[in-house]
Amino acid sequence: MKCRVCRAPAVLDIRRHNAAFCRDHFLKHCAEQVRRSIKDHDMISAGERVVVAVSGGKDSLALWDMLIGLGYDADGLYLGLGIGEYSDASGHTARVFAHERGLKLHEVDLAGEFGYDIPGAAAATHRAPCGACGLSKRHLFNAVAIEHGYDVVATGHNLDDEAAVLLGNVLRWETGYLGRQHPVLPEAPGFARKVKPLYRLGERETAAYCVLRGLDYQVEECPMAEGNRHLGYKDVLNALEDRSAGAKAAFVFGFVDRAHERFTDDAGAEREGLGACVVCRSPTTGDVCAFCRLRERVASRSGPSR
Ligand code: Q46
Ligand code: ZN
Ligand code: ZN
């Protein structure tokens, strides 16, 4: 196996590109995929400030590293979800990464600042933890971006994540979600732009990127992910990819290039006619936003019952 570019011994092959790369050319390939995503979708303009949602895992650290390498002004944001040892270790990893590179990391601790954690929210809502977790992340990433004047929130969703979410949305024909599933969600009043610069890279590639760059990332996955529907979809997609290299990329890139637009009307009304939440001032359709309702629900459950 030789590097496609320089013919030196390769460290990794990427079947869907029918190519193998040496270390340096693999890292260049990753940066090029990210540069291309940003350019093709006008994700970040010159001079804009970016906040990267950092979990301490391979994707978010690879993303932060690549954005800095490409010359962007990118700070990090870590959310303490209160998921036991997993959260302790991932917070530590994110802090070490930022500290070693002199990067700015914002931290928000759910329990300390909002009085609940993800296991508590799951118990109070009698739902899978990922629902409350996703809601909290969406709200807080945006709220921190708005509060600190960032133009863009960048998340580490990779090709495998996007393919799994797309499969889930297609299986149930969630046309509103399909209209919002895109590498860029534009800014709107009260909302920063959301971008996914890693959507062209598979998770095997982001992991290899971290290893080859010597980035210390949190290898353990979240223990609450068990039973998450998307893991099942990932298994199905991996089986497809085994039989037909490039299936995931064709599925996601074809959707982005040729199908997404057909669903934008279904998602369109979402961000129109919004008022401000009476509690936190975030944009919402009702009086109180979903995040504040969640907080209230957990508080009333775990508070004194007398
Ligand atoms: S952190 Fe949160 Fe994920 Fe854990 S509880 Fe689910 S959503 S699995 S990316
Ligand atoms: Zn090479
Ligand atoms: Zn609110």
Side-chain angles (χ1 to χ4, degrees), residues 3 5-8 21-22 25:
C3 171
V5 184
C6 70
R7 312 307 295 163
F21 295 102
C22 69
H25 286 119

Side-chain angles (χ1 to χ4, degrees), residues 277 279-280 289 292:
C277 168
V279 183
C280 75
C289 76
C292 291

Side-chain angles (χ1 to χ4, degrees), residues 193-239:
R193 191 182 317 134
K194 312 281 170 4
V195 304
K196 300 170 184 170
L198 296 187
Y199 87 98
R200 305 186 65 87
L201 291 174
E203 59 189 25
R204 183 169 159 263
E205 289 153 80
T206 59
Y209 179 91
C210 289
V211 171
L212 294 171
R213 283 277 293 151
L215 309 184
D216 202 5
Y217 65 93
Q218 158 90 337
V219 178
E220 306 277 294
E221 298 285 346
C222 170
M224 306 202 92
E226 214 172 300
N228 182 323
R229 271 204 291 251
H230 290 131
L231 290 183
Y233 297 150
K234 282 188 175 176
D235 290 343
V236 170
L237 287 158
N238 285 336

Side-chain angles (χ1 to χ4, degrees), residues 139 276-284 287-293 295:
H139 176 88
C277 168
V278 296
V279 183
C280 75
R281 313 301 302 159
S282 291
T284 178
D287 293 338
V288 179
C289 76
F291 176 74
C292 291
R293 276 185 277 130
R295 276 181 70 190

